[in-house]
């Protein structure tokens, strides 16, 4: 049909379609923001809401205390190990010195050095005793660290068990919350879809059709695209069921419209040629001729064949001859393209130049104007 439109009308229609898409874009942005913010109407769930708060707080404090005790025991163990290393180092150094001294004494065989042997042996015993004490301290700290670790592990285990029970209850409530939020979104988008369907049936060819189509695009996008990220596990069934329902409704509408159209075509083809041409819109006739189809029955016709003046399918006149210049022309043309004569046989209206007339000057007394 675009070939039958005036150039300015084509651009106006393109501009109006742009308005429709821009309008749909803003509506989609607003709808996406609204759909995304719908979860804020519900309280955010936390695991603490689904456990015994007093018992959970006690276990949590116990975990913190046990972890602190474990950290302290580990620090004390590191200090004890450092002291043990120091005692071992001193004892080893003293033993090495003692062994060297004994080797020297054996070489000299001096009896006056026996008291020093006793003194050095006593010092070595003292260092060995200190080493054993540090070893005992290390072992005690290792036991304390192990006890603290086991206590922290047990407390964490009790906390994990309580959290697991809380998460199980929260999961059930989370599914209920998701269902409620999904129903909110569905309650928002389904009416939009219904309004869009009504607008498509009743208003898509009205004066404000760009806004109608913009709203239709927005409603379809909101339901089939915006709603998808928020569908629960069973939400796909809702989407497909609604899609099937819309398809059935649109298909039924198309089938009924097609049958009505075919009935109208049969009735129109039974009318006389002149009446059929009168009922056809000029723009519709031009659009169909531009597609090389009959304006009356919309079946293909070879319009380039100059021997075809009537539709071979329905018999409507496609070409006739000008009553003035006898040029072959379209039967639906309002004027002859060769001489400009109107379709009724009257000449085309002419635009004549307007000549300004000069008022007559009355004659003077002598008879000279």
């Amino acid at each position: 049909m675009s070939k039958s439109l005036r150039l300015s009308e084509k651009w106006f229609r393109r501009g109006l379609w742009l308005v429709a898409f821009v309008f749909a874009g803003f509506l989609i942005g607003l709808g996406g923001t609204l759909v995304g913010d719908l979860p804020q109407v519900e309280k955010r769930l936390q695991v603490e809401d689904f456990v015994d708060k007093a018992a959970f707080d006690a276990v949590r404090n116990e975990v913190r205390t046990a972890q602190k005790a474990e950290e302290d025991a580990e620090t004390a163990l590191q200090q004890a190990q450092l002291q043990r290393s120091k005692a071992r180092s001193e004892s080893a150094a003293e033993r090495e010195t003692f062994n060297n001294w004994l080797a020297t004494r054996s070489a000299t065989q001096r009896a006056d050095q026996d008291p020093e042997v006793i003194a050095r042996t006593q010092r070595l015993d003292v260092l060995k005793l200190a080493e054993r004490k540090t070893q005992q301290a290390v072992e005690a700290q290792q036991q304390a660290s192990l006890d603290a670790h086991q206590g922290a592990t047990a407390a964490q285990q009790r906390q994990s068990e309580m959290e697991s029970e809380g998460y199980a209850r929260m999961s059930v409530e989370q599914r209920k919350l998701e269902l409620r939020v999904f129903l909110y979104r569905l309650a928002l988008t389904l009416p939009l879809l219904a309004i869009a369907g009504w607008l498509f049936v009743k208003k898509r060819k009205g004066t404000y059709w760009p806004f109608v189509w913009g709203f239709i695009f927005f409603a379809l996008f909101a339901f089939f695209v915006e709603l998808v990220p928020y569908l629960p596990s069973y939400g796909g069934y809702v989407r497909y069921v609604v899609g099937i329902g819309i398809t059935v409704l649109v298909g039924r509408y198309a089938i009924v419209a097609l049958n009505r159209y075919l009935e109208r075509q049969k009735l129109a083809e039974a009318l006389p040629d002149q009446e059929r041409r009168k009922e056809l819109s000029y723009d519709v006739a031009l659009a169909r001729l531009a597609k090389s189809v009959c304006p009356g029955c919309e079946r293909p016709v070879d319009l380039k064949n100059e021997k075809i003046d009537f539709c071979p399918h329905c018999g409507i006149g496609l070409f006739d001859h000008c009553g003035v210049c006898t040029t072959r022309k379209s039967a639906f043309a309002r004027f002859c393209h060769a001489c400009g004569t109107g379709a009724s046989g009257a000449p085309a209206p002419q635009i004549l130049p307007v000549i300004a007339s000069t008022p007559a000057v009355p004659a003077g007394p002598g008879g000279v104007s």
Side-chain angles (χ1 to χ4, degrees):
M1 186 176 177
S2 60
K3 293 182 179 179
S4 65
L5 298 176
R6 301 176 180 88
L7 183 60
S8 57
E9 190 175 355
K10 289 181 182 179
W11 283 104
F12 270 117
R13 284 186 175 274
R14 292 171 184 171
L16 291 176
W17 275 113
L18 179 61
V19 170
F21 285 117
V22 171
F23 183 61
F26 282 115
L27 286 178
I28 288 170
L30 177 62
T33 303
L34 183 60
V35 169
D37 290 341
L38 277 178
Q40 297 181 8
V41 302
E42 295 285 346
K43 179 184 176 182
R44 188 177 183 86
L45 300 181
Q46 296 179 350
V47 67
E48 288 82 357
D49 300 330
F50 300 91
V51 296
D52 185 350
K53 188 170 180 59
F56 188 75
D57 289 341
V59 171
R60 180 182 288 174
N61 291 331
E62 184 179 352
V63 169
R64 285 198 289 264
T65 303
Q67 289 176 342
K68 181 66 168 59
E70 184 179 7
E71 292 175 359
D72 294 340
E74 184 65 25
T75 302
L77 176 60
Q78 291 175 358
Q79 291 292 335
Q81 289 174 340
L82 183 63
Q83 292 297 326
R84 183 186 62 181
S85 299
K86 181 180 178 182
R88 284 180 176 178
S89 177
E90 291 177 352
S91 177
E94 183 64 23
R95 179 173 294 278
E96 183 179 359
T97 302
F98 181 69
N99 290 334
N100 293 335
W101 184 85
L102 283 178
T104 302
R105 182 184 178 281
S106 298
T108 58
Q109 295 292 325
R110 292 176 59 184
D112 58 343
Q113 294 181 343
D114 290 341
E116 188 174 355
V117 171
I118 297 173
R120 286 177 178 272
T121 302
Q122 290 176 347
R123 283 200 303 272
L124 189 59
D125 291 339
V126 169
L127 290 175
K128 196 65 178 177
L129 180 61
E131 183 180 349
R132 283 197 298 270
K133 287 182 179 179
T134 56
Q135 179 63 33
Q136 292 172 354
V138 168
E139 292 173 354
Q141 290 302 324
Q142 287 177 339
Q143 184 64 43
S145 177
L146 179 61
D147 294 340
H149 177 71
Q150 291 177 345
T153 302
Q156 289 174 348
Q157 182 66 28
R158 290 194 295 274
Q159 183 181 9
S160 298
E161 292 175 356
M162 296 182 68
E163 287 179 346
S164 297
E165 296 176 358
Y167 278 121
R169 299 190 189 100
M170 187 177 73
S171 178
V172 175
E173 188 61 30
Q174 184 69 29
R175 285 194 293 270
K176 294 179 181 178
L177 184 145
E178 289 177 356
L179 175 60
R180 289 196 299 270
V181 174
F182 172 70
L183 291 177
Y184 296 154
R185 293 183 171 118
L186 197 63
L188 176 66
T189 54
L190 273 181
L192 295 178
L193 211 57
I195 295 172
W198 180 82
L199 290 174
F200 177 79
V201 174
K202 300 292 185 180
K203 302 293 183 180
R204 71 179 187 275
K205 295 182 179 179
T207 305
Y208 300 102
W209 63 266
F211 299 106
V212 172
W213 279 104
F215 188 87
I216 291 173
F217 295 149
F218 155 66
L220 294 174
F221 187 89
F223 184 82
F224 289 101
V225 179
E226 286 288 352
L227 199 61
V228 170
Y230 308 103
L231 291 178
S233 58
Y234 51 83
Y237 294 102
V238 177
R239 179 188 178 198
Y240 292 127
V241 167
V242 173
I244 291 171
I246 293 175
T247 304
V248 170
L249 291 176
V250 173
R252 181 182 179 279
Y253 174 80
I255 292 171
V256 172
L258 176 62
N259 290 332
R260 290 176 180 173
Y261 167 76
L262 293 176
E263 290 295 329
R264 288 197 303 268
Q265 286 295 105
K266 290 180 181 179
L267 294 176
E269 291 176 8
L271 296 175
D273 184 84
Q274 293 296 330
E275 292 186 16
R276 292 174 64 189
R277 277 205 296 269
K278 288 179 181 178
E279 291 184 358
L280 280 172
S281 169
Y282 177 70
D283 290 333
V284 172
L286 290 183
R288 293 176 181 175
L289 288 172
K291 297 176 182 178
S292 296
V293 297
C294 171
C297 64
E298 297 188 54
R299 295 184 178 93
V301 180
D302 185 8
L303 300 179
K304 296 181 180 179
N305 189 346
E306 297 183 357
K307 296 181 179 180
I308 296 179
D309 289 338
F310 295 88
C311 175
H313 307 290
C314 66
I316 192 172
L318 301 176
F319 294 94
D320 56 15
H321 293 78
C322 176
V324 177
C325 67
T326 68
T327 301
R328 184 175 180 266
K329 65 178 184 63
S330 172
F332 297 92
R334 294 178 178 175
F335 299 94
C336 174
H337 63 273
C339 65
T341 303
S344 60
Q350 301 292 327
I351 301 176
L352 300 176
V354 180
I355 302 175
S357 58
T358 305
V361 180
V368 180
S369 59

